[in-house]
Amino acid sequence: DGGITQSPKYLFRKEGQNVTLSCEQNLNHDAMYWYRQDPGQGLRLIYYSQIVNDFQKGDIAEGYSVSREKKESFPLTVTSAQKNPTAFYLCASSSGGTGITGTQYFGPGTRLTVL
Amino acid sequence: DAKTTQPTSMDCAEGRAANLPCNHSTISGNEYVYWYRQIHSQGPQYIIHGLKNNETNEMASLIITEDRKSSTLILPHATLRDTAVYYCIVRTPYTGNMLTFGGGTRLMVKP
């Protein structure tokens, strides 16, 4: 089955701890994205990556970090510097690297709760 | 990206066609119209997109007016599983372009 997987589905974290959210895709897509969604709100872009070993900040990158060592993987670390980390985190991918890109497809999401 | 306007909510009877409108009067020539839907607590699901011509796939049809200032998503035979929030998005297809979801239309399919 081709698609995007995110794990875990639910994640609980104590304040002051870093946590890493996994995102894997087997669609052979060049571009990958991380979004955050708060209750009743739209999506906000955290980071995106057009190609391996390259990534760019989105609108709300503070308190987050990413890496793109492999084409199929784009993990997101929520650090203790993120003031309000409790949210629904969505990973997406699209074909095309730089320039024109294809449709973005989303994973099932990870719901992070900070206790 | 151009702003879109959608009704907040709509109801549809199961088995009937659901017609979801979207206004995008400030759309520019190189912007596409995309439709996604999001079922509660799940990731958004891509439905369809188009530039000028009407489009159809296994999920839905997209009708874009000639002046491109509005469009309609048609689910030909709505089922209970089509209950979701539907988002109309207008954007240029560049990698760094954030996918901006507005309020969307909450479609309730009723038996």
Side-chain angles (χ1 to χ4, degrees):
Chain A
D1 264 339
I4 303 172
T5 56
Q6 291 185 244
S7 60
K9 187 174 177 65
Y10 298 97
L11 188 58
F12 297 89
R13 187 195 91 176
K14 292 182 180 179
E15 276 193 42
Q17 288 181 338
N18 293 354
V19 63
T20 298
L21 282 59
S22 169
C23 178
E24 303 278 332
Q25 54 97 2
N26 61 5
L27 301 168
N28 199 33
H29 284 170
D30 287 306
M32 296 187 74
Y33 312 78
W34 274 105
Y35 292 90
R36 169 181 170 143
Q37 187 174 37
D38 293 285
Q41 305 295 313
L43 303 183
R44 291 186 289 169
L45 183 66
I46 304 172
Y47 270 97
Y48 67 96
S49 169
Q50 296 175 311
I51 54 174
V52 175
N53 293 323
D54 181 70
F55 48 84
Q56 307 294 329
K57 291 181 179 180
D59 288 347
I60 56 165
E62 186 176 350
Y64 300 98
S65 66
V66 293
S67 63
R68 187 85 188 277
E69 297 176 1
K70 297 186 296 182
K71 186 175 184 178
E72 58 270 22
S73 178
F74 191 40
L76 173 74
T77 296
V78 184
T79 74
S80 56
Q82 169 50 234
K83 300 301 181 190
N84 297 297
T86 294
F88 190 41
Y89 290 87
L90 289 158
C91 178
S93 72
S94 65
S95 61
T98 57
I100 299 289
T101 184
T103 302
Q104 289 186 31
Y105 295 92
F106 287 84
T110 292
R111 190 166 298 280
L112 172 64
T113 302
V114 175
L115 304 173
Chain B
D1 288 340
K3 183 178 177 180
T4 61
T5 304
Q6 299 178 252
T8 303
S9 63
M10 293 180 63
D11 290 343
C12 178
E14 189 178 18
R16 304 297 293 268
N19 298 293
L20 291 86
C22 180
N23 286 321
H24 32 79
S25 58
T26 60
I27 191 171
S28 60
N30 62 347
E31 288 181 313
Y32 287 70
V33 180
Y34 287 80
W35 283 84
Y36 283 79
R37 71 181 182 184
Q38 189 171 25
I39 297 168
H40 183 63
S41 294
Q42 296 183 22
Q45 179 185 22
Y46 165 77
I47 302 173
I48 199 167
H49 75 283
L51 182 63
K52 296 180 183 178
N53 300 323
N54 299 336
E55 303 287 345
T56 296
N57 63 20
E58 64 278 4
M59 287 184 67
S61 295
L62 174 60
I63 308 297
I64 303 174
T65 58
E66 195 169 339
D67 63 6
R68 303 209 322 126
K69 292 185 177 182
S70 66
S71 60
T72 301
L73 178 74
I74 301 171
L75 308 178
H77 305 286
T79 71
L80 298 179
R81 286 182 292 184
D82 292 321
T83 292
V85 179
Y86 287 76
Y87 296 98
C88 169
I89 300 149
V90 174
R91 64 186 292 270
T92 51
Y94 298 110
T95 303
N97 219 345
M98 180 174 66
L99 205 63
T100 304
F101 282 34
T105 296
R106 187 171 298 276
L107 176 68
M108 180 72 71
V109 181
K110 298 183 175 180

